Amino acid sequence: MKVYRDVSQFNVAKPILTVGSFDGVHLGHRKVIDRLNEIAASKKGESVIFTFAPHPRVVLSPQQNDLRLLTTLDEKIELLEQAGVDHLIIFPFTKDFSELSYTDFVRSILVTQLGIDSLVVGYDHKFGKNRKGDFEMLKGLAMAFGFELEKLDVLLSDDVNVSSTKIRHALQEGDIARANKYLGYPFRLNGTVVEGQKLGRKIQFPTANIETSDPHKIIPGYGVYAVNVLVEGETYQGMLNIGTRPTINNNADHRSIEVHIFDFDQDIYQKQLELKFLAKVREEQKFGSIDGLRSQLEQDKLDVRHLLKNL
């Protein structure tokens, strides 16, 4: 897959294109991408995804800090490449660009600069200033500028339409099974191992404290999770806690992300880890003593090993 951050470098004879954020590259997105690739193959063209960086809300509402994304830009690039996309355009989203009307966007960028042959859009496609661009407007533009247009229906899973918003809600609730089902792959989190209080070592459960790499990446809800941990190319099993560590921590406002990696004894401070969430084991809870916490952690380890063995 070729990646472009400048549309002037794009030169494809027959681009079959779709536009969108594609946060998560979930099963709903994959339906659009699969159809995009089908059309490209049938027309002897090439599939193109047009997306943006930074996220529009970062530019238009910088005072808000509640943006939570399913994928970082690097993760999105990797997932789109795995989906078989030929070309990815990462267009710089600016305040000036946000003022561009939908008609001007289609005419000046998609038609004039990119020379699109066909445009594929999802069922809820909205675009342009104030999101006034919709499918009815697109039909008129397709006729005026001479490109083909196709709209895809919603992808349903258990009679629920798959969307990035629903996946975010599932993750916030700690519903890893539902989130992974809609994503089509295990939700993942990347970060750096930082120094913690080292209390885990004192109770025979040393943990790696994780500082996430992207402030906009969504963090699943509080609780204990079964995870796979990628460390320098090697995959290990582990159990991860997200929360305030109420048994040993009096600061209820401080969220920690810490993982106990099974059968592992290496110094990984300042190393990068990738965590793949496979299941939620239990809610975070406060214990009456350190011994009570240790007993529960021992049970958690047994539960996680059993769960991962049967996944």
Side-chain angles (χ1 to χ4, degrees), residues 71-89:
T71 43
T72 65
L73 183 57
D74 286 343
E75 290 166 354
K76 188 189 299 186
I77 291 170
E78 181 182 332
L79 289 164
L80 290 173
E81 183 165 25
Q82 291 172 1
V85 175
D86 294 321
H87 304 273
L88 174 63
I89 297 170

Side-chain angles (χ1 to χ4, degrees), residues 264-279:
F264 185 86
D265 184 20
Q266 297 179 31
D267 182 355
I268 52 173
Y269 284 122
Q270 300 306 312
K271 297 282 179 67
Q272 292 290 312
L273 298 188
E274 179 178 276
L275 305 164
K276 290 187 177 181
F277 287 70
L278 303 177

Side-chain angles (χ1 to χ4, degrees), residues 166-218:
K166 286 184 171 64
I167 297 169
R168 290 187 201 104
H169 286 161
L171 288 169
Q172 288 166 343
E173 293 167 2
D175 192 344
I176 297 300
R178 181 157 55 103
N180 288 352
K181 179 178 179 180
Y182 291 170
L183 284 169
Y185 60 87
F187 174 75
R188 64 188 192 182
L189 199 60
N190 288 276
T192 305
V193 179
V194 297
E195 193 134 357
Q197 298 177 354
K198 301 181 180 177
L199 295 175
R201 293 187 181 189
K202 297 179 181 177
I203 57 173
Q204 289 80 52
F205 279 91
T207 59
N209 290 268
I210 311 300
E211 186 175 277
T212 55
S213 56
D214 188 329
H216 298 302
K217 176 83 174 189
I218 191 169

Side-chain angles (χ1 to χ4, degrees), residues 39 44 49-50 62 71 108 116 124 135 152 204 245:
I39 297 172
K44 293 183 169 53
I49 285 185
F50 188 107
T71 43
S108 65
I116 63 168
D124 59 349
F135 190 72
L152 299 183
Q204 289 80 52
R245 303 191 300 173

